[in-house]
Amino acid sequence: MAANRWNVLINLLKDRPHVRGAEVGVQAGKTSRYLLRALPGLKLLYCVDMWRFYPAYESDRVRPGDEWPSQRLMDTDRQKFLTVLKEFGERIELLEMSSVAAAAVVEPESLDFVFIDACHAYEYVQQDIRLWGANVRPGDLIAGHDYEFPSVAHESGLRSRNCFGGVGWGVKRAVDEAFGDKAKVAGAYVWWTVKE
């Protein structure tokens, strides 16, 4: 089986508590769907996304000729998410708002895990780790995506801007500052740690 974020996350969760979790940044719902199918013990998954395009947002994932990001494609991802996740009914709770607003909706230390895959600019990853980490129980999983992901900017020697004007992705920096050597990389650019 090829390594991808949902398989890595499923393997991390299968032998630890996973009754109640959150995915911050769901895009079209692929990870959410795989988690809910593979983990029948997952009774509630908060799915957080705004699906909003901001003109200042440019991603190092964009290559010449790509349309992403654009509001039209974000609207398409939102519709895909709503279609794909219908089958899970009350096992999902959609929080269509910023990650900051959503973190305030969820009770502190009420989650068995959080998977952070929203805005990848340093300040936003740092903020999500702090806010969503507070919602995870001690001893449970804080994880995220795109740690050391090779960017187009890096490969081409360019400095691209992304997510509200930040330069380059800041996932690695934010994770390293928050957790130091306690953060592990599990493959498919997934980082994880256990909350102390």
Side-chain angles (χ1 to χ4, degrees):
M1 177 184 313
N4 53 52
R5 66 186 176 275
W6 49 85
N7 284 333
V8 170
L9 193 54
I10 288 164
N11 284 330
L12 288 170
L13 289 170
K14 67 183 179 185
D15 295 324
R16 62 176 51 251
H18 59 262
V19 174
R20 188 175 160 125
E23 182 183 1
V24 183
V26 297
Q27 200 169 7
K30 192 178 266 190
T31 299
S32 302
R33 181 182 67 200
Y34 281 107
L35 288 176
L36 289 160
R37 282 187 178 164
L39 301 169
L42 179 54
K43 301 300 181 197
L44 178 63
L45 181 64
Y46 290 104
C47 296
V48 180
D49 210 308
M50 290 186 355
W51 292 288
R52 294 289 177 261
F53 171 73
Y54 293 86
Y57 182 100
E58 296 174 44
S59 171
D60 16 16
R61 286 181 275 196
V62 176
R63 290 172 169 85
D66 284 352
E67 291 185 74
W68 192 90
S70 72
Q71 188 59 53
R72 185 181 68 75
L73 290 178
M74 290 184 178
D75 291 343
T76 299
D77 280 346
R78 180 182 182 276
Q79 192 55 51
K80 285 179 185 175
F81 172 85
L82 294 174
T83 301
V84 165
L85 277 293
K86 271 188 215 176
E87 71 180 272
F88 300 106
E90 293 180 4
R91 291 180 66 200
I92 67 163
E93 184 169 335
L94 174 58
L95 300 177
E96 191 169 348
M97 57 188 74
S98 72
S99 64
V100 173
V105 169
V106 177
E107 187 178 330
E109 297 189 355
S110 66
L111 300 177
D112 298 309
F113 72 92
V114 64
F115 186 67
I116 299 169
D117 194 16
C119 182
H120 288 26
Y122 165 75
E123 297 82 4
Y124 294 91
V125 179
Q126 182 185 50
Q127 179 176 265
D128 284 344
I129 288 170
R130 181 175 45 81
L131 295 175
W132 284 94
N135 290 337
V136 174
R137 293 181 185 95
D140 286 338
L141 191 73
I142 301 171
H145 195 224
D146 291 322
Y147 185 92
E148 292 189 323
F149 187 83
S151 69
V152 173
H154 181 264
E155 292 166 5
S156 65
L158 300 173
R159 288 177 53 109
S160 71
R161 299 174 61 81
N162 74 25
C163 212
F164 307 98
V167 176
W169 281 4
V171 176
K172 182 182 185 318
R173 178 180 167 201
V175 170
D176 289 351
E177 286 180 8
F179 305 113
D181 63 0
K182 292 182 176 132
K184 310 290 185 240
V185 180
Y189 308 106
V190 173
W191 62 268
W192 67 278
T193 191
V194 172
K195 182 177 177 179
E196 294 185 340

